[in-house]
Amino acid sequence: MTVGIVGVMASKKRLSDAEFREGAVRIVTETGKPIPEVAADLGIHSGTLQSWVSWARRNGSPSSDRPSAKPSGGRLRESERADLARLRAGAREKDKRIRELEMGVMCASDSWPCG
């Protein structure tokens, strides 16, 4: 019975930790205050806050129901640009493979000259 109570307490703590992290990241991104200053104000190590901010910039905010601090103006974030480049490279590779397979099928038929 005690284990269940501890489990509930631990999940509430994790939730508040996640909310704390999100709030700390928002302070940095929305106010533009330096990370060391915000970290000192919150009583956390600046390296910890730096890693949270870096993660959020790469992956976006975990809560998508909140509006972004600044409108993007149609521009892609760095993480979105990287994803787009990766997806385009994958599409090029697949297109190349399709052409190779089509050539193989055409060369296998007697009516198509290959050589």
Side-chain angles (χ1 to χ4, degrees):
M1 193 77 168
T2 309
V3 173
I5 293 171
V6 171
V8 170
M9 297 295 274
S11 65
K12 285 183 181 178
K13 182 177 181 340
R14 272 183 247 143
L15 176 63
S16 66
D17 287 347
E19 290 170 357
F20 178 78
R21 281 192 298 271
E22 270 189 52
V25 168
R26 273 197 319 275
I27 291 170
V28 171
T29 57
E30 293 176 7
T31 66
K33 283 185 176 180
I35 289 174
E37 181 182 330
V38 174
D41 291 346
L42 297 174
I44 58 175
H45 191 274
S46 62
T48 301
L49 181 54
Q50 175 63 48
S51 68
W52 295 348
V53 170
S54 294
W55 185 90
R57 286 182 177 152
R58 278 192 315 271
N59 302 305
S61 175
S63 57
S64 59
D65 59 337
R66 293 191 179 124
S68 62
K70 298 176 196 168
S72 67
R75 293 192 173 145
L76 297 176
R77 293 183 300 199
E78 185 64 33
S79 62
E80 292 170 325
R81 265 186 258 133
D83 286 343
L84 184 58
R86 181 183 50 79
L87 292 169
R88 284 181 175 164
R92 282 192 301 272
E93 285 297 316
K94 288 179 182 177
D95 288 343
K96 180 181 173 185
R97 182 67 178 136
I98 289 169
R99 285 192 303 275
E100 290 170 354
L101 291 170
E102 287 172 342
M103 288 300 293
V105 169
M106 287 187 256
C107 288
S109 72
D110 294 331
S111 61
W112 191 267
C114 294

